Amino acid sequence: MSLMDEAKSFFEQLKKDTLEAHKKALEGIVNEATEEALEDIENADSLEKVKKIQVGIFGKKGHMTELLKNMGKVSANDRPVLGKVLHESRQIIEKKLEAKIIFFAEQEEELKLQKEMVDITLPGQKVYEGHKHPITLIQEEILSIFNKIGYTVVEGYEIEEDYYNFERLNIPKDHPAREMQDSFYINQELVLRTHTSPVQTRTMDKITPQLPVKIISPGKVFRRDDDSTHSPMFHQIEGLLVDKNITFAHLKGTLLHFLRKIFGEDREIRLRPSYFPFTEPSGEVDVSCGNCGGTGCRVCSYSGWLEILGSGMVHPKVLEMAGYDPDEVQGFAFGLGVERVAMLKYDINDIRLFYENDNRFLKQF
Ligand code: FA5
């Protein structure tokens, strides 16, 4: 090798070494900066801080963005070297950032879920189911007993004409029986019906001369009464059967059938002569007091019995006014107090309990 060649090769080697050293130096700077960035990301203790670091590196004015923007100013020799290390650094930092962001996002989600967590082992709030009022239940039970033996349900008017409430039932204006039912008058002609009996005459008026008339009619009635067994508003159920050859035995048999169905065989029943202007003969039915077992208490006014219904053979005058011939047809009728039936069946000693809407009472039915 000539001296010239030797010198040339020496300088080439020197140039190579210098370039290599330069390249190493460049890589060293970038790697150091990368390590620093990775450490900062690692130490960041919130998503907010990680995002701040991200902006500081890759944001519009971030270090990496600035470096890449100025690549044009780097010498042609350094550019590929710098480009390569920057590219690698960028990938490493981005990966670390991504992992850290996912970590915080998951942590946040976990916290949110914990906050929203419902402890299904805690006792819930009980929702009480509504149900029918005890008076409605008893009324339905009574109607169903009569339905099964062929009675049709008919409704009447709560505001009734004095004429139907009294006169058509053989209770003229000066009749002392009007005092038996101290009434709420709306005006001279209209009254809050004092019993369900006006349904008898209204129904007969519609049906006559057809036979039989066989109806049952539930509804509210109103009287100037107010004590533990008498309410100013209460419910009655009226029954009426008109046909040929009807006797008191039919009435007794029907009432016994009903009372046994509703109270069972163990309650005592008493049929007592009574008076109603619209029935002749008339009878009232008493049931033995369930509160004292018939020995006498406040509930039964110390008599051992509670009156639950009035009844009798339809008065010939009532049949006549409705257009029936009393020599040809007969009938029986009864009117029972629904509250009284409920009180006897469930041993309730005060009628006012039905209307106080006390849930502790109502919940029991
Ligand atoms: C009447 O109301 C007659 N209309 C019944 C009748 C119908 C008789 C058909 C003959 C033929 P009385 O006033 O007795 O009768 O009432 C009937 C029933 O209603 C009583 O037996 C009683 O159980 C109930 N009752 C009466 N007054 C009240 C009151 N203030 N509160 C709750 N129940 C009452």
Side-chain angles (χ1 to χ4, degrees):
M1 192 190 283
S2 70
L3 195 61
M4 207 44 195
D5 283 344
E6 252 179 64
K8 202 174 166 191
S9 122
F10 171 77
F11 280 114
E12 262 168 19
Q13 188 56 43
L14 185 66
K15 198 175 160 194
K16 241 187 202 170
D17 289 350
T18 313
L19 273 174
E20 201 53 39
H22 187 68
K23 191 177 144 194
K24 285 257 157 13
L26 267 180
E27 278 176 358
I29 293 166
V30 174
N31 286 343
E32 205 174 306
T34 308
E35 285 304 318
E36 239 173 68
L38 292 178
E39 208 178 309
D40 285 352
I41 298 166
E42 182 57 39
N43 292 337
D45 55 5
S46 69
L47 188 62
E48 208 189 344
K49 282 186 186 158
V50 178
K51 291 252 163 98
K52 216 170 158 185
I53 296 171
Q54 190 180 32
V55 172
I57 302 171
F58 299 118
K60 252 187 182 171
K61 288 183 179 157
H63 303 314
M64 184 70 84
T65 317
E66 288 291 325
L67 271 173
L68 292 170
K69 252 198 251 167
N70 291 315
M71 279 296 272
K73 293 177 193 161
V74 178
S75 72
N77 276 338
D78 287 350
R79 210 176 295 148
V81 178
L82 197 61
K84 189 169 169 271
V85 283
L86 283 181
H87 177 68
E88 279 166 7
S89 162
R90 183 191 182 119
Q91 276 186 330
I92 293 167
I93 296 172
E94 273 181 349
K95 213 166 152 197
K96 179 82 183 170
L97 277 170
E98 197 183 330
K100 200 76 180 178
I101 288 170
I102 288 173
F103 169 77
F104 281 120
E106 278 175 359
Q107 203 179 50
E108 210 169 273
E109 181 70 15
E110 182 68 20
L111 277 173
K112 201 175 144 210
L113 286 177
Q114 262 174 26
K115 243 195 213 165
E116 288 172 0
M117 197 171 75
V118 176
D119 184 353
I120 54 163
T121 63
L122 285 175
Q125 272 186 350
K126 199 168 176 182
V127 178
Y128 289 104
E129 241 178 72
H131 63 78
K132 288 180 183 168
H133 191 276
I135 294 301
T136 310
L137 290 171
I138 282 283
Q139 189 166 289
E140 285 177 357
E141 196 178 335
I142 298 170
L143 292 182
S144 141
I145 293 170
F146 282 102
N147 257 171
K148 285 190 183 125
I149 52 171
Y151 284 77
T152 306
V153 176
V154 173
E155 302 254 12
Y157 302 115
E158 285 172 14
I159 297 174
E160 186 52 283
E161 290 175 37
D162 177 278
Y163 173 71
Y164 283 104
N165 195 78
F166 295 118
E167 279 173 53
R168 282 292 299 275
L169 291 164
N170 200 27
I171 317 175
K173 284 231 161 17
D174 53 353
H175 199 289
R178 289 209 180 199
E179 273 166 39
M180 279 163 57
Q181 300 173 350
D182 236 356
S183 329
F184 294 108
Y185 272 92
I186 290 174
N187 58 35
Q188 280 199 320
E189 279 104 49
L190 291 176
V191 64
L192 293 182
R193 68 174 173 187
T194 56
H195 51 176
T196 42
S197 298
V199 182
Q200 286 185 34
T201 55
R202 282 190 177 273
T203 309
M204 283 192 277
D205 281 1
K206 273 190 208 144
I207 296 179
T208 180
Q210 285 174 54
L211 290 171
V213 183
K214 199 174 181 186
I215 56 129
I216 195 93
S217 181
K220 291 188 176 80
V221 302
F222 309 84
R223 290 186 197 176
R224 287 179 192 277
D225 274 343
D226 194 6
D227 61 42
S228 64
T229 53
H230 292 83
S231 168
M233 186 285 293
F234 62 101
H235 296 76
Q236 280 192 341
I237 292 184
E238 190 81 8
L240 172 71
L241 175 73
V242 179
D243 207 346
K244 286 188 174 165
N245 302 318
I246 297 296
T247 68
F248 201 87
H250 292 116
L251 169 64
K252 196 178 162 193
T254 305
L255 293 179
L256 268 177
H257 167 78
F258 157 68
L259 294 166
R260 283 185 180 153
K261 283 271 171 225
I262 197 106
F263 293 117
E265 306 288 332
D266 58 337
R267 279 273 170 89
E268 297 289 331
I269 287 155
R270 178 169 85 168
L271 197 60
R272 190 165 37 82
S274 182
Y275 168 76
F276 296 102
F278 38 96
T279 47
E280 183 56 38
S282 304
E284 272 177 328
V285 173
D286 300 334
V287 174
S288 60
C289 178
N291 196 47
C292 60
T295 55
C297 66
R298 194 171 67 88
V299 177
C300 57
S301 306
Y302 303 94
S303 70
W305 298 95
L306 263 162
E307 170 205 320
I308 56 162
L309 65 85
S311 63
M313 300 304 290
V314 182
H315 198 288
K317 274 194 184 165
V318 174
L319 287 172
E320 215 166 57
M321 281 189 269
Y324 286 105
D325 179 353
D327 292 332
E328 289 285 315
V329 299
Q330 301 78 39
F332 67 73
F334 56 87
L336 63 90
V338 181
E339 282 80 356
R340 292 283 168 82
V341 175
M343 287 170 84
L344 283 163
K345 200 169 156 79
Y346 299 122
D347 291 341
I348 294 160
N349 59 13
D350 197 321
I351 197 168
R352 290 165 287 210
L353 284 167
F354 290 117
Y355 302 110
E356 282 166 357
N357 280 336
D358 185 335
N359 259 332
R360 288 169 303 178
F361 172 75
L362 295 175
K363 256 182 352 201
Q364 299 174 51
F365 297 92

